[in-house]
Amino acid sequence: MPKTHYENFPVASILLPRRLVPAVEAIYAFARAADDLADEGEAGPGERLAALAAYEAALHELERGLPCGPPFARLGVVIAQYGLPMTPFYELLSAFKQDVVTTRYASYDALLDYCRRSANPVGFLMLTLYGAASAVNRRDSDAICSALQLINFLQDVAIDQQKGRIYLPLEDLTRFGLAPAELEPGVPDENWRALMSFQVARARALMKSGSALVWRLPGRLGWELRLVVQGGLRILECIEEVDYDVFRHRPQLRKRDWALMLWRAWRM
């Protein structure tokens, strides 16, 4: 689930219906290229924002039916074929632009607003591709996608810190007696463990609140989602298993975890 290259997409998964693979790959190419503009290389904030503005302008041209190059030409075919709405693509771009200028989040609500634009559009687009974008499905998809984004933040505390970013609500740091500067040494203490225990519990509850969606999506997409849900929950367990020391032990899924996830997905 690394955020850097936008692996929220189940690209080329053996469980993804084959007919959807080209469409998912086109959406992924769009999101990954934009994410790289916001995050990769040595460009300064001004250059990144200018590049993202140009990228957004190209998306406007696509929406107007004007000729455009990759990845937009390929994306345009998919949008027309499946009747995809344009709003999710603009929401993704707004989140990428926010990454350039925002390094702290005062509250959990502010962080969820970011997730609403950085993660939830992915789930909505997948539901639309599958013809299952009902209101109740979208509600649960939003919960799963936001939970995945929050779990990624917990998983990547050290990586984000190196980039000067903190994706933990500042109100929660204050509540547990921590200041942003105290995260820099990367030495977990009891306050840190209490903070992380609270974050893990909240992300787990959010994930479970949307998990009923797996029963409403039949076939391979339902199995895909089962593994996504179980993968997120397993990462939370890995965080707990290292006693919340994500500074020295970045939780990630290994071969033995996949067997456990498959078993749990089957039990769902």
Side-chain angles (χ1 to χ4, degrees), residues 220-234:
R220 296 169 72 170
L221 189 61
W223 277 100
E224 177 84 42
L225 186 60
R226 283 171 169 83
L227 283 174
V228 168
V229 169
Q230 292 301 330
L233 294 175
R234 180 60 189 146

Side-chain angles (χ1 to χ4, degrees), residues 33 59 133 139 256:
L59 185 62
R139 178 201 66 198
R256 60 181 173 84

Side-chain angles (χ1 to χ4, degrees), residues 94-111:
S94 76
F96 296 142
K97 289 188 284 187
Q98 185 167 317
D99 269 332
V100 177
V101 297
T102 303
T103 60
R104 304 286 189 277
Y105 289 84
S107 66
Y108 180 61
D109 286 344
L111 195 59

